[in-house]
Amino acid sequence: MHFHFEMKKTLEAVGVILEQEGCSVSRLRLLKLLYIVDRELLMESGRPLTGDLAVAMKHGPVLSRVYDMIKGVDAESGSWQDHFENRGYKVQLKKRPDRGELTKREDEKLRDVVSRYKETTDEDLSDVAHEFKEWSDNYREQTSTPIPWRDILLKQGLDELIPIIERDEADRRALEAMFGPTA
């Protein structure tokens, strides 16, 4: 089960998180909040917000392309750097991304997750992510092992959604092959 990475939605989502967090947040916190949003949306709607590849790393699950953009090593890091800048281990809002890509449900989920973990320290948020079974089952020391999105559904007893999601993604890829990307 692979999803298409949604660059514009990801930029917009990071903007929402940063605005809710006071325009500056640690890399760790940003990555955990985005992962939690993706995870919860997948379980609720069958699709993560970012479409990014999740990997199991030492401090918990991480969205791979987002992490690479933060580090400036992704091919689309220029788009990231137009809107955000690194200040040590913090990501700071430089210029608000355009709005309009996020659905109402995605925007509400972002705001809910940020609000829910507002009083949680970065270290405690990392501990929360370590409790996710899909992380513990895929984590290998000194690596960034992919976390299959289907593992989240399996670990939550939502395996009946897997064939539906896979069919929807296959249909989306077929339509993109015929008509080009929708975004």
Side-chain angles (χ1 to χ4, degrees), residues 64-84:
S64 179
R65 288 206 51 200
V66 173
Y67 187 46
D68 286 347
M69 285 189 290
I70 291 170
K71 296 186 300 184
V73 298
D74 185 86
E76 295 191 65
S77 290
S79 295
W80 177 271
Q81 293 166 356
D82 288 343
H83 302 286
F84 315 110

Side-chain angles (χ1 to χ4, degrees), residues 158-178:
L158 299 171
D159 42 312
E160 71 278 357
L161 295 178
I162 293 171
I164 298 165
I165 294 168
E166 288 175 339
R167 185 177 56 246
D168 287 350
E169 279 303 295
D171 290 348
R172 184 198 53 78
R173 284 191 299 276
L175 287 169
E176 281 190 355
M178 286 188 282

Side-chain angles (χ1 to χ4, degrees), residues 21-151:
E21 289 278 337
C23 296
S24 181
V25 68
S26 73
R27 294 176 181 191
L28 182 139
R29 184 173 200 78
L30 176 62
L31 289 164
K32 297 307 163 247
L33 291 172
L34 271 177
Y35 178 79
I36 292 168
V37 167
D38 268 3
R39 180 181 194 268
E40 290 183 11
L41 283 171
L42 176 69
M43 291 187 294
E44 293 167 11
S45 68
R47 181 149 186 52
L49 185 148
T50 69
D52 202 351
L53 171 68
V55 293
M57 295 180 73
K58 180 180 179 179
H59 295 289
V62 171
L63 297 176
S64 179
R65 288 206 51 200
V66 173
Y67 187 46
D68 286 347
M69 285 189 290
I70 291 170
K71 296 186 300 184
V73 298
D74 185 86
E76 295 191 65
S77 290
S79 295
W80 177 271
Q81 293 166 356
D82 288 343
H83 302 286
F84 315 110
E85 63 184 351
N86 293 332
R87 298 266 176 144
Y89 285 103
K90 292 204 176 255
V91 175
Q92 188 167 336
L93 183 63
K94 184 162 85 175
K95 178 182 136 195
R96 190 174 136 203
D98 291 336
R99 297 291 173 113
E101 294 296 321
L102 296 175
T103 66
K104 182 180 178 186
R105 176 73 187 116
E106 291 165 336
D107 186 70
E108 288 171 352
K109 178 55 70 178
L110 281 160
R111 292 172 192 284
D112 170 61
V113 168
V114 171
S115 175
R116 197 178 334 142
Y117 293 104
K118 190 78 167 168
E119 301 300 320
T120 306
T121 67
D122 291 1
E123 293 78 21
D124 288 345
L125 190 55
S126 183
D127 290 344
V128 167
H130 280 111
E131 293 174 13
F132 298 149
K133 189 81 168 117
E134 70 271 10
W135 174 81
S136 61
D137 285 357
N138 287 287
Y139 177 65
R140 306 292 173 267
E141 285 191 40
Q142 308 293 322
T143 69
S144 58
T145 308
I147 300 173
W149 286 113
R150 68 184 1 252
D151 282 8

Side-chain angles (χ1 to χ4, degrees), residues 10-25:
T10 300
L11 292 175
E12 192 174 332
V14 171
V16 169
I17 290 172
L18 286 171
E19 287 173 353
Q20 296 295 304
E21 289 278 337
C23 296
S24 181
V25 68

